[in-house]
Amino acid sequence: MVKNGISTAVIKRLPRYYRYLGELMEAGTERISSNELSKLMNVTASQIRQDLNNFGGFGQQGYGYNVEFLYNEIGRLLGVDRRHNIIVVGSGHLGQAIANYANFERRGFIVKGMFDRNPDVIGKEIRGIKVMSMEEIEEFIRINKIEIAALTLPKQQAAEIAERLVGFGIRGFWNFAHIDLELPKGIVVENVHLSESLMRLSYNLTTINDK
Amino acid sequence: MVKNGISTAVIKRLPRYYRYLGELMEAGTERISSNELSKLMNVTASQIRQDLNNFGGFGQQGYGYNVEFLYNEIGRLLGVDRRHNIIVVGSGHLGQAIANYANFERRGFIVKGMFDRNPDVIGKEIRGIKVMSMEEIEEFIRINKIEIAALTLPKQQAAEIAERLVGFGIRGFWNFAHIDLELPKGIVVENVHLSESLMRLSYNLTTINDK
DNA sequence: TAGATTGTTAATCGATTAACAATC
DNA sequence: TAGATTGTTAATCGATTAACAATC
């Protein structure tokens, strides 16, 4: 893999740039300077220019950045110009919420199927997406060219199932289970640990309180 | 406020320490050295000692750290020894998923009420929690001593409603809307931007691909 | 051409790691 | 007391900010 030296700090900021540029585009703004954007986003203009120049010179001296061009370039970097087929593994409330969130589709993230081990939910349909049994998962991944698995299941099951899914060809995990997945090199894991997020909020509330 | 110089990098790691210590405790481990913990968690022992010493000397030379003691101390720092009353504002699928996630309660985060502007969901009950109309929110916050609002509503509404909620006394926001809330100093915002998380996953899949 | 603003190098700041004296 | 391991200072590394020459 290239893993071309781009720091995670930069990558973390990319989606936010993308969001602001999208909004600027909707507002009809044609061009923007790093200075204007910096005021909008509450970061330094220097950081914006440094960040963008990790990927190439997207701007033009004396002019700034073309909003639509930059939006599309960042979109390409983020892979939202491609289609990503997703399965949701664990069809409880959180899994269903994700399947229901149609907005992801606009960015090319398509939930193709859902899975659960609980017979009570198997057969159910969420926004036209069927919940299937875990036995059907291997074939489904192959036939539907699934790339990403959203893991919305109890942490007790997450590790074992993730390993099996790697065997079935899944290369990206959107992990909502409260566990650090240990998977082979080359497998990408993006964690969403809601309980940790809530604790950080609580920490900040607590310390601000101790004014 | 004190905002006592503890860097956000350290605070981000606290919940993870807490999780590992909880697991060690469940496994019956009584004490652990920074070196053992570092292997478990895949960080340096140096970092663990530095992090913990931001808050005081929790260990003992020659012995290491008492697992239960450290667990409780970090828990206290994170505010999970206290009760936090929460309302969920926006009772769509994501809001319902959060209300349904009983695990938060074990950490003292209690969802007391849910709100929505859509008459179709008002009156519904999620795990015994009633969905109320937006008109009832001010009084509810006061009577139930609500501290945190989870914002699980469309971004178009989030900014305006957050501002109103600040007026009603909410000091912490768990923000799931894709927007950067601009709120007065002293108000704590913890963002969960799922679409940004998904894009980072996609970015990493894309670049690893370009091997 | 003059003005604006980038791309990029250099300086600063902060966070991580290493080292070791203190101490249980 | 000897061994282990912390707490903490010092060294290194990386990320952010500042400055400015290049260039549109």
Side-chain angles (χ1 to χ4, degrees), chain B residues 25-85:
Chain B
M25 223 168 69
E26 267 178 39
T29 311
E30 209 167 84
R31 70 188 184 99
I32 194 160
S33 69
S34 57
N35 195 256
E36 291 170 292
L37 189 56
S38 81
K39 278 172 195 151
L40 214 59
M41 294 185 65
N42 258 313
V43 298
T44 64
S46 224
Q47 181 165 78
I48 292 173
R49 295 204 299 277
Q50 286 277 23
D51 281 356
L52 296 180
N53 272 87
N54 279 297
F55 305 101
F58 295 147
Q60 194 165 88
Q61 283 99 330
Y63 171 86
Y65 298 88
N66 178 286
V67 172
E68 191 175 348
F69 174 75
L70 187 55
Y71 176 81
N72 288 327
E73 285 298 308
I74 295 179
R76 217 171 33 77
L77 287 168
L78 291 171
V80 297
D81 58 334
R82 301 189 300 113
R83 239 180 113 100
H84 302 270
N85 293 327

Side-chain angles (χ1 to χ4, degrees), chain A residues 73-98:
Chain A
E73 286 297 309
I74 295 179
R76 218 171 33 76
L77 288 168
L78 291 172
V80 298
D81 59 333
R82 301 189 300 114
R83 238 181 113 101
H84 302 270
N85 292 328
I86 301 185
I87 51 173
V88 172
V89 185
S91 301
H93 296 289
L94 186 56
Q96 292 183 29
I98 285 166

Side-chain angles (χ1 to χ4, degrees), chain A:
Chain A
M1 105 188 119
V2 169
K3 199 53 162 182
N4 26 19
I6 312 279
S7 79
T8 61
V10 174
I11 294 159
K12 268 220 188 127
R13 286 191 288 265
L14 281 184
R16 189 156 178 266
Y17 290 130
Y18 189 69
R19 173 155 54 90
Y20 273 87
L21 288 163
E23 282 168 15
L24 283 166
M25 223 169 69
E26 267 177 41
T29 312
E30 208 167 86
R31 70 188 183 99
I32 193 159
S33 69
S34 57
N35 196 255
E36 291 170 292
L37 189 56
S38 81
K39 277 173 197 149
L40 214 58
M41 293 185 64
N42 257 313
V43 296
T44 64
S46 224
Q47 181 167 77
I48 293 173
R49 295 204 299 278
Q50 286 278 23
D51 282 355
L52 296 179
N53 272 87
N54 279 297
F55 305 100
F58 295 145
Q60 193 165 88
Q61 283 99 330
Y63 171 86
Y65 299 88
N66 178 288
V67 172
E68 191 175 349
F69 175 75
L70 187 54
Y71 177 80
N72 287 328
E73 286 297 309
I74 295 179
R76 218 171 33 76
L77 288 168
L78 291 172
V80 298
D81 59 333
R82 301 189 300 114
R83 238 181 113 101
H84 302 270
N85 292 328
I86 301 185
I87 51 173
V88 172
V89 185
S91 301
H93 296 289
L94 186 56
Q96 292 183 29
I98 285 166
N100 264 303
Y101 196 57
N103 252 356
F104 296 140
E105 285 192 3
R106 286 189 330 164
R107 299 276 133 85
F109 300 96
I110 320 284
V111 176
K112 293 290 236 179
M114 301 181 68
F115 294 88
D116 208 289
R117 55 155 63 160
N118 178 358
D120 293 351
V121 290
I122 292 169
K124 215 175 157 181
E125 275 200 18
I126 314 291
R127 213 167 50 93
I129 305 160
K130 237 194 219 129
V131 179
M132 291 163 272
S133 79
M134 298 301 288
E135 279 69 42
E136 305 169 70
I137 206 167
E138 177 167 16
E139 198 189 350
F140 191 90
I141 288 170
R142 191 165 36 76
I143 291 175
N144 292 280
K145 297 188 170 60
I146 303 298
E147 192 183 1
I148 295 171
L151 299 181
T152 47
L153 33 70
K155 66 164 182 249
Q156 291 76 20
Q157 299 162 42
E160 184 220 319
I161 287 183
E163 230 170 293
R164 275 175 53 202
L165 292 177
V166 169
F168 299 161
I170 297 293
R171 289 185 16 263
F173 289 91
W174 201 17
N175 178 39
F176 290 77
H178 306 145
I179 190 177
D180 296 317
L181 296 174
E182 309 279 359
L183 297 172
K185 263 234 127 200
I187 303 298
V188 179
V189 178
E190 168 78 20
N191 291 310
V192 180
H193 289 339
L194 292 180
S195 64
E196 298 194 358
S197 169
L198 192 48
M199 286 187 212
R200 277 192 292 273
L201 174 55
S202 163
Y203 173 90
N204 286 319
L205 276 170
T206 306
T207 45
I208 274 188
N209 224 6
D210 301 344
K211 185 204 254 289

